[in-house]
Each structure stands twice: as structure tokens, then as C-alpha cells.
Amino acid sequence: MSCYSTKFPKRRIMSSRISQMGNISERLHELVDIKCAGKSTVFAKKAGIPIATFHNYLKGRTPSAETLFHIRETFSANINWLLTGEGEMFGDESGAPGEAQPDLTIDLEILHRIIKWVEERLESEGKELVPDKKARFIALAYEYFAAPEEGKAVDDKGMNQLFRLVV
């Protein structure tokens, strides 16, 4: 049984502009509706994600870098869109023909370290961030630490500075 549906449920299809207002959980629900006719267990199995873990993501927990990678590889989902709601839902951020394309290669090691740091910090301080705010922080930190000309390492000092801006 293929999890790809030719019929798209109308209740979840939205333009990118509307999607930006939601959070990562809502965007995951949107992907499940489009790619697997609303069947989250089928979606999780196809992406190689434990079903209980995936249900936690649907409830607002931020997926790990590996999970984001599996979702991208399995369903061609744009990780930037999934984390922030910005850009197109599928594929890359291709601009107009002839326009210089940005390098959209994601360094999963950096992304993983950032997500781990955020989860550990929130847990140690007994704080929570709404999923959308957490995703925006992760995207901001990734942009800061992955800048090729800077060559910065993910460290407590830099993460603490960014964290204070967000929390």
C-alpha cells in the first residue's frame, strides 16, 4: 500500500504564507495529510520513525536532526519550511530561472548539536518554548554557526548569547 495519495485533503492545504503562521506540529500534520492521507502511523513507518516518537512530534516536540533528514529524504520535504514555515513545502528554495541559487546543504552534525543543546538547556532550567519559537531559535542558531566564512563551533558562549535573545 502506497502512502502517497492523489487526493489532497482540503482542510490542510494552505499557501506558504498561511503555513508560516503555524508551528512545526501543524506543518507535520499538513505533511501527513498530503503524503499519507492523514495516516500518521503510515507516515512514521515510511520515514523510519518510531510511531510513539512521531506522535510526540505531532504534539509539539522538536524532531531531531536525523528525523528531519529522514522526512526530507522520504517525502522531499523542505527542512527550512518544516522548522520555520518559510519557503516551499517540498523540494528546495529554488528562485526564478537564472537567479543565483543559495547553497542549501545542511550540516546535520551542527543541526544535531544545536537541537541537543536547546533540549538540554530547556530541561536543565525547567523551561519550555512553544514549538514555533523553538524552531525559529534553532534556525537562527544554525544560520549563525553554519556560516562558512565564520567557521564558528557550536559552544555554550555563543548559544547562550543567542538563547538570551529568544527566551
Side-chain angles (χ1 to χ4, degrees), residues 66-160:
E66 290 84 2
T67 298
L68 293 171
F69 175 77
H70 289 299
I71 291 171
R72 181 185 77 190
E73 292 300 303
T74 305
F75 300 106
S76 300
N78 180 334
I79 294 176
N80 186 49
W81 172 82
L82 193 55
L83 285 171
T84 67
E86 296 172 2
E88 297 299 319
M89 183 186 299
F90 299 105
D92 61 15
E93 302 268 350
S94 297
E99 193 176 284
Q101 301 299 315
D103 180 12
L104 298 177
T105 305
I106 292 180
D107 186 328
L108 291 177
E109 183 181 334
I110 290 174
L111 186 59
H112 176 74
R113 288 194 314 236
I114 291 168
I115 291 171
K116 183 178 177 184
W117 187 94
V118 170
E119 294 296 334
E120 288 174 354
R121 175 69 180 263
L122 290 173
E123 185 178 332
S124 72
E125 292 188 8
K127 292 184 179 180
E128 287 188 27
L129 285 177
V130 294
D132 194 51
K133 196 169 188 180
K134 188 187 301 183
R136 290 185 187 279
F137 172 75
I138 291 167
L140 174 69
Y142 180 82
E143 186 176 317
Y144 178 77
F145 287 109
E149 65 278 356
E150 300 296 329
K152 300 176 195 93
V154 178
D155 62 1
D156 278 340
K157 182 180 177 185
M159 289 294 287
N160 282 327

Side-chain angles (χ1 to χ4, degrees), residues 30-45:
E30 203 171 333
L31 277 175
V32 169
D33 284 350
I34 290 170
K35 292 293 189 172
C36 294
K39 297 178 182 171
S40 60
T41 55
V42 173
F43 187 96
K45 285 180 185 178

